[in-house]
């Protein structure tokens, strides 16, 4: 039987964190290609350091001449991302950063398997859901994201002009009878404008917004606050620490509360099951919980490159299921086509909806009218009930 009383910790990072800058650029490149052609192929990696961004990887359009022309747009895409995030500091500025574009055409050997509707790579993908928050997400990661999103809003609006883009949060929550009830410790490190600002000064700025997003009663007299615990944090972003696409995969998913298959998401078009099948697995796990079939659910799917049919489906309800896991495994395969093409079609993934996923989590977000976060819908709940 799983533990019911414990402390669990998750962290998040802001859109200005060096790795998230890179995720944003890679996903913005992906969106640009998908806007040009829904079946575009993209595997884009980004590296950022002091006043330099390097973009590389593989891309593909059906018209190779158009692909050559499109390469000229990468410089502008990078600068727009850096500007929107908010970097205008001496050694990392959207207008002066040096951009190197090393993108090239997709490997024909990879394309031949994907063009036959096979998976873009081998691998295992996991999806998870739990009823401990309204979004059916683990509470520590959900609220760690919420803190940083709120601070980004007040920074960008000009309400808090001394905040800067680079930031990290971390929450340690106490669980009682399997439900989160109290923040035991809270860590918030945020870049700021002035050398003279102390940790106490920064806490005075951020504490009202943190209190605003956390559930009432979670902050208590026992909560330990660690705001900018090293002191000054003026040098930040890729000038302070190099960034790379795909280095925050646990931040992107469930904060360590559930397994991760190992593959990163950002910069990959939806033929890559690292991304699309992980979205499908979250969608199915969320619908299992939304259907009331379990209070916690993990779904695993496995694929081989060039092969359309998933090799295996596994479900785990951690002892909370109302029906055997084997029934859930059969049901999820019945209500959704889990071939790569089936996933893309069902969730509408061949469109430019990815830059918005690059920070504050790929899961636990509200479905959007244009198809963004379609994997967060709960429209399969009734079908799953009938299937079991």
């Amino acid at each position: 039987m799983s533990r019911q009383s414990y402390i669990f910790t998750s962290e998040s990072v802001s859109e200005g964190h060096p790795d998230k800058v890179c995720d944003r650029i890679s996903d913005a490149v992906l969106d640009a290609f998908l806007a040009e052609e829904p079946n575009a192929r993209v595997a884009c990696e980004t590296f950022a350091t002091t006043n330099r961004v390097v973009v590389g990887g593989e891309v593909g359009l059906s018209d190779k001449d158009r692909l050559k022309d499109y390469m000229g747009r990468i410089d502008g895409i990078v600068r727009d991302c850096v500007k929107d995030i908010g970097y205008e500091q001496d050694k990392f500025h959207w207008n002066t950063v040096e951009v190197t574009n090393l993108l090239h055409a997709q490997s024909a050997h990879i394309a031949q398997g994907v063009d036959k509707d096979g998976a873009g790579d081998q691998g295992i993908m996991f999806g998870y859901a739990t009823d401990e928050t309204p979004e059916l997400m683990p509470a520590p990661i959900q609220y760690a994201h919420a803190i940083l999103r709120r601070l980004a809003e007040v920074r960008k609006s000009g309400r808090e002009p001394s905040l800067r883009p680079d930031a990290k949060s971390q929450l340690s929550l106490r669980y009682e009878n399997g439900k989160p009830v109290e923040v035991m410790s809270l860590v918030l490190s945020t870049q700021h404008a002035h050398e003279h600002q102390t940790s106490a000064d920064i806490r005075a700025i951020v504490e009202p917004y943190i209190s605003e997003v956390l559930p009432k009663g979670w902050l208590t007299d026992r909560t330990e606050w660690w705001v900018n615990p090293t002191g000054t944090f003026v040098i930040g972003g890729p000038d302070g620490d190099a960034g790379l696409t795909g280095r925050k995969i646990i931040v992107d998913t469930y904060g360590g509360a559930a397994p991760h298959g190992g593959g990163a998401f950002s910069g990959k078009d939806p033929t890559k099951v690292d991304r699309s099948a992980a979205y499908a697995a979250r969608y199915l796990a969320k619908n299992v919980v939304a259907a009331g079939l379990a209070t916690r659910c993990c779904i695993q799917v496995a694929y081989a490159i060039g092969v359309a049919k998933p090799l295996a489906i596994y479900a785990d309800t951690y002892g909370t299921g109302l029906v055997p896991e084997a029934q859930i495994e059969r049901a999820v395969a019945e209500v959704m086509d889990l071939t790569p093409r089936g996933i893309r079609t069902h969730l509408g993934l061949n469109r430019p909806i990815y830059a918005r996923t690059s920070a504050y989590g790929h899961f636990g977000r509200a479905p959007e009218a244009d198809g963004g976060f379609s994997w967060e819908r709960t429209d399969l709940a009734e079908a799953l009930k009938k299937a079991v």
Side-chain angles (χ1 to χ4, degrees), residues 10-11 141 145 247-260:
S10 294
E11 69 157 349
I141 188 67
H145 288 323
R247 283 204 298 203
K248 289 291 178 285
I249 60 176
I250 301 303
V251 170
D252 287 341
T253 54
Y254 308 104
H260 191 292

Side-chain angles (χ1 to χ4, degrees), residues 89-300:
Q89 56 198 48
D90 289 344
K91 294 185 179 180
F92 198 76
H93 193 295
W94 63 269
N95 195 36
T96 58
V97 64
E98 185 175 344
V99 179
T100 302
N101 176 13
L102 301 177
L103 290 168
H104 59 86
Q106 184 188 39
S107 161
H109 292 169
I110 293 175
Q112 67 186 356
V114 179
D115 291 341
K116 294 185 293 186
D117 291 337
D121 202 354
Q122 72 173 51
I124 56 172
M125 297 83 206
F126 290 92
Y128 179 74
T130 172
D131 70 350
E132 65 190 57
T133 62
E135 299 83 4
L136 304 186
M137 281 288 288
I141 188 67
Q142 190 70 9
Y143 288 105
H145 288 323
I147 289 168
L148 294 182
R149 289 187 77 180
R150 183 65 182 131
L151 294 180
E153 289 169 359
V154 297
R155 170 178 63 83
K156 288 184 168 185
S157 72
R159 186 170 172 181
E160 297 296 347
S162 67
L163 296 182
R164 293 293 182 263
D166 196 356
K168 301 179 80 172
S169 64
Q170 184 172 289
L171 284 178
S172 298
L173 298 187
R174 182 173 67 85
Y175 283 70
E176 194 172 277
N177 297 321
K179 300 297 180 184
V181 296
E182 181 182 11
V183 178
M184 299 305 295
S185 66
L186 185 154
V187 184
L188 189 285
S189 294
T190 182
Q191 184 185 9
H192 53 97
H194 308 295
E195 295 272 359
H196 63 78
Q197 289 176 300
T198 66
S199 296
D201 294 331
I202 301 303
R203 177 171 173 174
I205 292 170
V206 302
E207 185 170 349
Y209 302 112
I210 293 173
S211 300
E212 179 185 307
V213 301
L214 291 177
K216 188 176 181 180
W218 278 20
L219 293 171
T220 71
D221 292 340
R222 299 198 304 169
T223 302
E224 292 185 348
W225 287 74
W226 301 97
V227 177
N228 281 17
T230 62
T232 304
F233 183 9
V234 172
I235 300 172
D239 179 35
D241 190 12
L244 197 65
T245 299
R247 283 204 298 203
K248 289 291 178 285
I249 60 176
I250 301 303
V251 170
D252 287 341
T253 54
Y254 308 104
H260 191 292
F265 300 158
S266 290
K268 295 178 181 176
D269 74 71
T271 67
K272 280 75 170 174
V273 284
D274 273 345
R275 181 170 220 156
S276 56
Y279 289 175
R282 159 65 179 173
Y283 176 57
L284 292 169
K286 185 174 184 180
N287 276 271
V288 167
V289 175
L293 299 176
T295 59
R296 292 173 64 200
C297 182
C298 180
I299 300 287
Q300 183 204 55

Side-chain angles (χ1 to χ4, degrees), residues 19-20 22-27 30 42-46 245-246 249 252 263-269 275 279 354-355 357-359 362:
D19 295 330
K20 283 291 151 199
C22 295
D23 285 345
R24 171 68 176 276
I25 292 169
S26 292
D27 274 336
L30 169 61
V42 178
C44 177
E45 307 290 347
T46 303
T245 299
I249 60 176
D252 287 341
F265 300 158
S266 290
K268 295 178 181 176
D269 74 71
R275 181 170 220 156
Y279 289 175
Y354 297 104
T357 71
S358 61
H362 292 245

